[in-house]
Amino acid sequence: MFRFWAILGFVWVCFAACTGNGKRDIKAYYFPVDELRRGLVYEYEVTQNGISTPEYWFYRSAVRDSGVFLSSTYYDRFFRIGQICREKIVESGTQAREYLLFEPDSVSGEQIQTRASISAPDIFPFQVKDSTGVFLFTVSFHPPDDSLATIYVIRNRRFLGDASPYDILDKKLPCIRFSLTEAIGNKKEGSTEVEGKGEEWYAKGIGLVRYQKTYGSGSLKIEGRLVGIYPMSELEKKAEENDEL
């Protein structure tokens, strides 16, 4: 009887292994949504063609009747809002629900808001298998100073597996990486399209900690790395000190 149950157990393990989807759960490598209810600022050091500047992203999660959402607000080195993205957390990953862009008016200097159209919403998958899977994110918008133009961004992500550990906040955290392929263009007649390639690294329990992109023939290179995480009050203090200069 013992042999019968042992054989049955072995057969069940084999059946489960053969019929499983073989996918890896990487949800823990995305931003810690449950810990971002009050919001935190992620400060990145961004280097573009050898020149480094800071950029700031404020991440905050919220629970609504329709689900769990994560909003990200980008501030440039002058502490001006440049972008707001609102994502919905679903079983398979995160999907963009709202995408707003901001740019200063050439006359008044005030920020003009533009709502982008999202045609492919996938931002980060929670289940991956190998690099053959493609996760597509696509947005397009009309610039406020040229209503006839349509700027679009097409971004493909592919899972590449584990990356080297990343040192942040006095910890060495395990990481995964994604490859990036981007196309940025204008549907206006006579306009050209620029292609870019790069990688993103995500650390367990933290989220995005590093990225690098190269556009065109290599004339534009952008690299970013996470250097700090802190409350919004600290960013407000930085902005006040900047106004006093």
Side-chain angles (χ1 to χ4, degrees):
M1 180 62 70
F2 174 79
R3 179 177 296 179
F4 169 77
W5 288 112
I7 293 173
L8 182 62
F10 176 75
V11 171
W12 172 252
V13 170
C14 290
F15 176 79
C18 293
T19 57
N21 59 22
K23 290 187 176 182
R24 176 180 174 183
D25 187 340
I26 60 169
K27 184 177 181 179
Y29 290 85
Y30 198 55
F31 296 97
V33 176
D34 293 337
E35 300 174 18
L36 292 172
R37 299 291 172 82
R38 294 186 177 181
L40 286 172
V41 175
Y42 282 50
E43 180 180 340
Y44 295 87
E45 180 185 60
V46 180
T47 303
Q48 181 174 318
N49 292 344
I51 301 175
S52 297
T53 57
E55 69 176 31
Y56 311 94
W57 290 83
F58 178 62
Y59 292 96
R60 187 171 186 174
S61 60
V63 179
R64 300 285 184 260
D65 292 340
S66 55
V68 179
F69 295 85
L70 177 67
S71 64
S72 57
T73 304
Y74 160 67
Y75 296 85
D76 65 16
R77 64 191 180 97
F78 300 111
F79 306 98
R80 297 176 303 198
I81 294 178
Q83 172 186 307
I84 297 176
C85 181
R86 185 164 168 262
E87 310 167 29
K88 184 174 184 180
I89 310 301
V90 298
E91 185 176 352
S92 61
T94 69
Q95 297 182 338
R97 287 292 186 266
E98 186 177 46
Y99 204 90
L100 303 174
L101 299 169
F102 298 82
E103 61 178 281
D105 181 77
S106 58
V107 178
S108 65
E110 296 181 357
Q111 296 290 85
I112 301 175
Q113 175 183 301
T114 302
R115 184 179 298 273
S117 174
I118 303 168
S119 53
D122 292 337
I123 293 180
F124 189 94
F126 292 158
Q127 300 286 329
V128 293
K129 189 172 184 180
D130 51 39
S131 61
T132 58
V134 178
F135 305 95
L136 178 62
F137 173 74
T138 304
V139 295
S140 60
F141 64 96
H142 301 292
D145 60 348
D146 188 353
S147 60
L148 298 179
T150 302
I151 308 298
Y152 61 86
V153 179
I154 302 172
R155 181 178 298 135
N156 290 329
R157 287 185 172 92
R158 293 177 184 267
F159 179 66
L160 296 180
D162 293 316
S164 301
Y166 190 85
D167 289 313
I168 183 69
L169 304 177
D170 298 322
K171 297 178 182 178
K172 184 170 290 222
L173 300 174
C175 292
I176 58 173
R177 63 193 183 108
F178 284 82
S179 70
L180 287 176
T181 303
E182 288 186 348
I184 303 174
N186 189 341
K187 293 182 180 179
K188 194 173 182 179
E189 185 177 354
S191 299
T192 59
E193 182 177 90
V194 177
E195 294 185 353
K197 292 185 177 181
E199 285 193 10
E200 288 178 333
W201 289 30
Y202 292 82
K204 193 172 185 178
I206 295 290
L208 181 65
V209 293
R210 178 181 169 189
Y211 64 87
Q212 61 88 12
K213 301 176 185 179
T214 301
Y215 293 93
S217 59
S219 58
L220 177 58
K221 295 182 180 180
I222 302 174
E223 296 183 3
R225 65 184 188 90
L226 182 65
V227 295
I229 301 175
Y230 44 78
M232 172 56 82
S233 58
E234 186 169 336
L235 183 65
E236 292 172 343
K237 183 179 178 181
K238 289 177 180 286
E240 290 175 359
E241 292 173 350
N242 180 73
D243 290 339
E244 294 173 357
L245 296 178

